[in-house]
Amino acid sequence: MAQVSMARRSMHDTQGGVAIETRMPFKVDFIFHPLPRLCPAFSRSPRLQRYNLSLTATSSTMAQTQQSKDLAAARAKTTFPVIDLTRYIHGSDQKIARRRELASLVSNDPVFASEKRIGLSRVQDVKHGLAMSLRLYQLKEKHNLSKEDMMTCMEFIDEYLPVSLHESAFIPIIYAQGTDEQAKYWGPLAEKHQIIGCYAQTELGHGSNLSQLETTATLNKNTDEWIIHSTTFTASKWWIGGLGAVATHALIQARLIIDGKDYGAHGFIVPIRSLKDHRPFPGVKVGDIGPKAYGGFSKIDNGFVRFEHYAIPRENMLMRFAKVTKDGQYITPPHSKLSYGSMVLLRSHMVRDAAMDLARAATIAIRYSTVRRQFNVPTSRKDASNPSLETQVINYPMVQARLFPIVAQCYAILAAGNKMWSMYEEMLAELMKGDVSSLAEVHAISSGLKSTCTTIAAAGMEDCRKLMGGHGYSYFSGISHLWSTYVPSNTYEGDNFLLTQQSARYLLKQLKLATTEPDQVTSFSKYVIKTADQDAFHAERCSVQEGADWLRPEVQLAAFEHRAGRLVADLALANLGENVIWSDLNLECWRLCHAHSQYVLARSAIEGVAQAKAQGLSPATIVVLKRLSDLFALHTIQGSLGDYLEDHFLAPKQCQLLRQQIKSLQEVLADDMVGLMDAFDFPDHFLNSALGSADGEAYQRLWDAAQRQEINQSEVVDGYKEYIVPILTQHGAAKL
């Protein structure tokens, strides 16, 4: 692997002439865009120069294999400046350089070494997670890391740590939902990690149903305290990240009770463990819930807590919105759903996270499919320089049909994630001023996108594993750890099926608003206005006459809008039926939510292309982004053809043209696939994959990983005398 030692380097994009300056007082043990150094024969290629960031690296000492040649050749075919897309994904050159510095900071620290993370007991796992947490905070102090730096380091550590929720939920919620005085008091304590917090909503018996949480906070006017109590066994908080071992405080969601009246769930800062000896306070029973499925989340201490009439000060209730005075007066918040703000924050993060995590799996699969050769079967995409070799797996149309849409999904979800985060920040600024006008839309869109995007990402990761054949099932492929850590995202922060009802309810309200105040319908719901004239709406037909028409953004969006509009109108009609119960319409809600979210994704991808053009990205980059946007839209429409044929919006001929256009897009994108994934700029340490490394040496790295395993450090396995000998000699020793 290429290694770099530097005090200060200047990275330079040879296409744009933009210097990227970075300071790295440590060794870089991964490759950024290494091909020109590893493969001098290709370094003169103008296309490969687009990878060249002038980061001096020593060449690999191993002889170049066919695998590394194949990956180099694939990079040489890239039609756009890769650094352009890296800027599109991560921002300015300065941000890219900073990410690389932080990635190196993590990858060169032995505490974060991936080899130390497997084969541990539950106690060892949690202790290792605590060690990584401490090291993270030591690096923060040593290198004066900002909040953004900290989140980036946590990303590259690639484990949910005991302090992850402290950073991503506890601190932000204090500032978002606490008063100025509360933020001034609790914020610095948390930021200096003089206290460690977690966010505790889910209970043993309730998760998504916030209104039915059983933990109560009852005001004692005589002592000016809240009495936190787990009213039943199932009221125990459960699954709370950071609570099992490290948290000293918890941000508890509990039902607020004053004089016997229930005011619903509110947030309270609750001390859990003593700052002197870390023992739980009297009235608090706390612990770890144990190992999780598939070995995921192994380093984080998901915990439980039960309260037995536990008193905390009245001022520990977060009171930016709802307030309770000393005499027990409850002051109503300006909006009944303001407590949902914390969930919106976490779900907004999850959309972009879905793109980045899926992109990691796709990077591994694309690279391995490029260097993996199977069978001498001719394909239309030929490897002219190696006619006697087996066919590269990535050249098979079936592989392209399964893999390339996943890459398009990465970029579409990324665009939606950027849009979602922008909407959240605007909403938060408005909330601070008491303006709640955007809360309903942001909550509904974040709920729908969380459900749709995490579903796509989890399924896509597993598809990437399958695309890699038998080796994909190896831990060293890098996908098993990624998937086992990611897949619970389909459940936490709102079950993906149940969550769809929130988006559906919101769209029904928008439909009703369209009939009375159409000007008040929100931006992403404007399509419901057309459904007011049902005759005209049902007469709508797709305008596609030839295959190229499918590449027009207005044609794509018209299809998504029609589908979502019809489903919201159908749901409204069904909801008016005699003796209809809302829960009987769960499936209709699910269909509508995903139709709406897919529209948001497609529209975000299209707008992302326009934004990239406005940012001055090269014409070649705009072309490839447009192709990805098209592939996402058409592949998504193809997955729901039944909805479009059901009301004759599409004709059979148009469906045929759609499939032909998808295949054509996959063919023209084939040369850019390696470059599209290189643009995410994932270092090898972060991918943690023998099969997806930047140098393409998949088989050598897989072999080496196996040789390093403890079980292979002795020729005779531990347990031979105790177990193998008795097995072999149970009926007498064989005489051969």
Side-chain angles (χ1 to χ4, degrees), residues 402-699:
R402 296 164 63 195
L403 186 52
F404 292 5
I406 293 175
V407 176
Q409 288 169 341
C410 294
Y411 278 89
I413 296 173
L414 177 70
N418 292 339
K419 179 66 176 179
M420 185 71 255
W421 187 246
S422 176
M423 292 176 68
Y424 171 77
E425 288 186 318
E426 291 174 5
M427 179 203 75
L428 185 61
E430 293 170 357
L431 290 179
M432 294 299 181
K433 300 174 184 177
D435 181 359
V436 298
S437 58
S438 63
L439 177 59
E441 181 183 31
V442 176
H443 176 248
I445 291 178
S446 68
S447 297
L449 286 178
K450 184 272 178 185
S451 174
T452 299
C453 295
T454 59
T455 297
I456 290 172
M461 290 175 193
E462 174 64 359
D463 285 340
C464 286
R465 182 196 66 77
K466 293 175 183 176
L467 279 157
M468 295 166 69
H471 291 335
Y473 192 64
S474 169
Y475 177 86
F476 303 119
S477 74
I479 291 184
S480 63
H481 170 75
L482 175 61
W483 181 85
S484 66
T485 301
Y486 188 81
V487 74
S489 67
N490 283 217
T491 302
Y492 62 68
E493 300 309 324
D495 174 82
N496 277 6
F497 287 90
L498 186 60
L499 204 56
T500 59
Q501 295 184 54
Q502 298 184 21
S503 292
R505 287 183 186 276
Y506 170 77
L507 290 169
L508 286 179
K509 292 177 182 178
Q510 290 291 296
L511 180 62
K512 184 177 181 180
L513 188 63
T515 62
T516 57
E517 300 176 84
D519 292 342
Q520 298 301 310
V521 175
T522 54
S523 173
F524 280 101
S525 308
K526 291 290 187 184
Y527 61 80
V528 302
I529 297 174
K530 295 189 298 182
T531 66
D533 185 343
Q534 280 289 291
D535 290 338
F537 182 77
H538 285 298
E540 281 188 352
R541 295 294 182 267
C542 178
S543 62
V544 167
Q545 297 294 319
E546 56 186 34
D549 291 339
W550 274 118
L551 303 182
R552 290 160 49 200
E554 65 273 19
V555 170
Q556 298 166 6
L557 291 180
F560 283 106
E561 290 175 352
H562 180 86
R563 176 186 173 217
R566 183 172 69 83
L567 292 177
V568 71
D570 288 352
L571 177 62
L573 185 62
N575 195 36
L576 294 174
E578 187 176 354
N579 299 322
V580 171
I581 301 173
W582 176 253
S583 61
D584 291 339
L585 302 175
N586 285 355
L587 183 58
E588 288 80 359
C589 290
W590 180 85
R591 291 177 63 203
L592 169 58
C593 174
H594 285 291
H596 179 70
S597 296
Q598 288 167 2
Y599 163 65
V600 173
L601 284 164
R603 178 171 153 181
S604 298
I606 291 168
E607 291 175 355
V609 176
Q611 291 166 4
K613 191 173 183 179
Q615 291 168 7
L617 271 65
S618 70
T621 304
I622 301 303
V623 167
V624 77
L625 278 175
K626 173 63 165 62
R627 288 170 176 169
L628 287 170
S629 176
D630 290 337
L631 180 57
F632 172 79
L634 303 192
H635 178 264
T636 304
I637 291 171
Q638 179 181 240
S640 303
L641 284 181
D643 287 340
Y644 295 102
L645 292 168
E646 197 171 285
D647 69 346
H648 307 291
F649 180 77
L650 288 183
K653 178 62 176 177
Q654 292 170 325
C655 297
Q656 295 170 6
L657 293 173
L658 176 74
R659 285 194 293 270
Q660 292 169 10
Q661 199 62 55
I662 291 172
K663 193 169 183 179
S664 296
L665 284 168
Q666 289 166 176
E667 290 172 355
V668 296
L669 279 167
D671 284 349
D672 286 317
M673 279 295 148
V674 170
L676 285 168
M677 303 323 299
D678 281 352
F680 280 89
D681 209 34
F682 295 134
D684 281 349
H685 174 270
F686 185 44
L687 290 178
N688 193 23
S689 171
L691 304 181
S693 62
D695 61 9
E697 297 289 353
Y699 300 124

Side-chain angles (χ1 to χ4, degrees), residues 356-411:
M356 300 305 287
D357 288 340
L358 180 57
R360 288 170 61 191
T363 298
I364 295 168
I366 288 289
R367 288 178 178 174
Y368 182 55
S369 297
T370 299
V371 305
R372 182 186 180 205
R373 291 177 176 270
Q374 295 288 308
F375 307 106
N376 281 304
V377 178
T379 60
S380 58
R381 187 170 185 255
K382 301 185 184 302
D383 181 12
S385 59
N386 298 289
S388 63
L389 298 181
E390 291 180 278
T391 302
Q392 289 172 278
V393 168
I394 200 168
N395 287 345
Y396 289 111
M398 180 59 74
V399 171
Q400 294 177 1
R402 296 164 63 195
L403 186 52
F404 292 5
I406 293 175
V407 176
Q409 288 169 341
C410 294
Y411 278 89

